[in-house]
Amino acid sequence: MQAALRQHLGGVRWALRVSEAALRPRCVGPASPPAPRCWSCGRPLPSAEGLPHFCPGCRALQPPGPRPDLFRLMDCDRSFRLDVQRLQRRFRSLQRALHPDRFGQRPPKEQHYSEQHSSLVNKAYQTLLNPLSRGLYLLELNGVEPAQETDCDADSEFLMEIMEINEKLAESENEEIFEETETLIKVKQEELTKEVTAAFERDDLQEAKKLLAKMKYFANLEDKLKNKKMPS
């Protein structure tokens, strides 16, 4: 009798454990996102990793991805040192393939995607071609905030030089002074570009940040000089 009771109680305990296990929440991993599909024909699309791409089935141009890597888009190494000819070849190739003129007879949605791609390619080209914007973009990719104007306050000698050039531009209407200042700014920008290249290549992002802040001052002077030289 006692043996039968023990056997019965054991069965009850086992049933309770099974019930508790069934009620316990299961650890389920995050669901993988659905594969992208062509907006036109619904066909699954291969991964394009942010690059411009067409549907392999209906050849419809697909929309640009969110926040593409501009270096990857323009087929350039993610580096401050840039192969300008390679950048220009890629720019021309993409513009030929994506220019809105090529999509004049396509559906309105595809025309819109073409305009978006073309605008993005222009932005990428201008960003990477200019040393200052290229450097600032590299800092952004590395999670480094660009320097503010006050970050150069400690370099009093540099700020004095900038003030003197500013005063010379403000007070002069002499074409010879303009040419002399233009040459000075160009030389300074070239020197800073070399220093920024070296800073990025030794992975000294904080030094690159300071040097790019100085480049920004000279870029502002360059804009002021262009405005002074424009006929009123």
Side-chain angles (χ1 to χ4, degrees), residues 4 31 60 68 95 105 111 116 129 163 168 178 203 211:
Q95 283 293 52
Q105 303 303 314
Q111 293 178 28
Q116 287 182 317
L129 185 64
M163 285 174 60
K168 189 183 289 188
F178 291 161
D203 204 28
L211 292 166

Side-chain angles (χ1 to χ4, degrees), residues 80-215:
F80 187 75
R81 193 184 291 275
L82 187 77
D83 184 337
V84 174
Q85 290 186 340
R86 181 177 176 181
L87 173 67
Q88 290 172 337
R89 285 195 300 270
R90 175 68 168 174
F91 173 69
R92 288 192 292 268
S93 172
L94 287 175
Q95 283 293 52
R96 279 195 300 270
L98 301 167
H99 197 277
D101 288 350
R102 291 176 58 89
F103 295 84
Q105 303 303 314
R106 302 294 293 172
K109 181 179 284 192
E110 195 168 1
Q111 293 178 28
H112 177 60
Y113 292 153
S114 167
E115 291 167 1
Q116 287 182 317
H117 277 293
S118 188
S119 175
L120 179 60
V121 168
N122 278 321
K123 174 191 171 185
Y125 178 70
Q126 295 299 332
T127 299
L128 299 188
L129 185 64
N130 181 281
L132 174 57
S133 56
R134 180 168 71 247
L136 293 173
Y137 180 60
L138 267 175
L139 289 183
E140 179 188 331
L141 290 177
N142 284 280
V144 178
E145 289 287 329
Q148 304 300 318
E149 288 189 7
T150 52
D151 293 348
C152 284
D153 285 353
D155 194 340
S156 56
E157 185 179 344
F158 171 77
L159 290 177
M160 186 63 69
E161 181 182 18
I162 295 297
M163 285 174 60
E164 288 174 358
I165 298 173
N166 259 318
E167 288 171 3
K168 189 183 289 188
L169 284 177
E171 295 169 1
S172 177
E173 296 293 337
N174 188 311
E175 196 66 33
E176 189 175 329
I177 296 293
F178 291 161
E179 296 298 327
E180 178 187 316
T181 306
E182 187 173 25
T183 301
L184 173 64
I185 291 172
K186 184 178 179 182
V187 169
K188 291 291 185 180
Q189 290 283 50
E190 287 174 353
E191 289 173 356
L192 284 167
T193 298
K194 290 177 183 176
E195 292 179 47
V196 172
T197 302
F200 273 117
E201 289 185 348
R202 62 176 183 267
D203 204 28
D204 190 345
L205 299 181
Q206 291 305 314
E207 180 64 14
K209 173 179 173 176
K210 291 177 185 176
L211 292 166
L212 287 165
K214 292 184 177 183
M215 285 184 74

Side-chain angles (χ1 to χ4, degrees), residues 29-45:
S32 57
R37 291 182 175 272
C38 173
W39 62 268
S40 179
C41 70
R43 178 175 178 152
L45 296 170

